[in-house]
């Protein structure tokens, strides 16, 4: 599966493993979602967003909900 990148950023798990498009991730509530992409931070104080899908529902969350982070390449 392709990795999730935007510009100079790459989406990673907090342990440093790279996230892949279509990967299943669990929220801090234990809900399972499928990664569809995201938007990296646009300024230093921002965390960016991740785009996920569950069934027919697409949502946008802060990366921390899934223990993810945007890192500079």
């Amino acid at each position: 599966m392709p990795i999730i990148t935007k510009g100079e950023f790459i989406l990673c798990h907090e342990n440093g493993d790279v996230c892949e498009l279509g990967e299943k991730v669990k929220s801090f509530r234990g809900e399972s979602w499928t990664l569809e992409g995201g938007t990296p931070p646009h300024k230093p104080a921002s965390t960016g967003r991740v785009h996920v899908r569950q069934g027919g529902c697409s949502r946008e969350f802060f990366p921390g909900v899934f223990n993810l982070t945007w890192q500079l390449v």
Side-chain angles (χ1 to χ4, degrees), residues 14 26-28 47-50 61-69:
E14 285 188 342
K26 283 201 182 245
S27 72
F28 66 88
T47 61
R49 302 289 188 275
V50 293
F61 290 98
F62 292 112
V65 171
F66 302 98
N67 292 319
L68 304 176
T69 184

Side-chain angles (χ1 to χ4, degrees), residues 10 12 15 20 30 37-38 45-46 52 59 61 63-65 70 73:
I10 188 167
C12 298
N15 66 6
E20 296 181 341
S46 175
V52 293
R59 300 270 316 261
F61 290 98
V65 171
W70 285 99
V73 177

Side-chain angles (χ1 to χ4, degrees), residues 6-26:
K6 288 271 176 111
E8 300 176 349
F9 288 90
I10 188 167
L11 186 62
C12 298
H13 296 274
E14 285 188 342
N15 66 6
D17 291 344
V18 175
C19 294
E20 296 181 341
L21 195 62
E23 179 180 341
K24 299 282 187 194
V25 291
K26 283 201 182 245

Side-chain angles (χ1 to χ4, degrees), residues 21-44:
L21 195 62
E23 179 180 341
K24 299 282 187 194
V25 291
K26 283 201 182 245
S27 72
F28 66 88
R29 294 185 186 119
E31 301 166 334
S32 183
W33 294 80
T34 303
L35 279 174
E36 292 189 318
T39 307
H42 60 282
K43 59 184 179 181

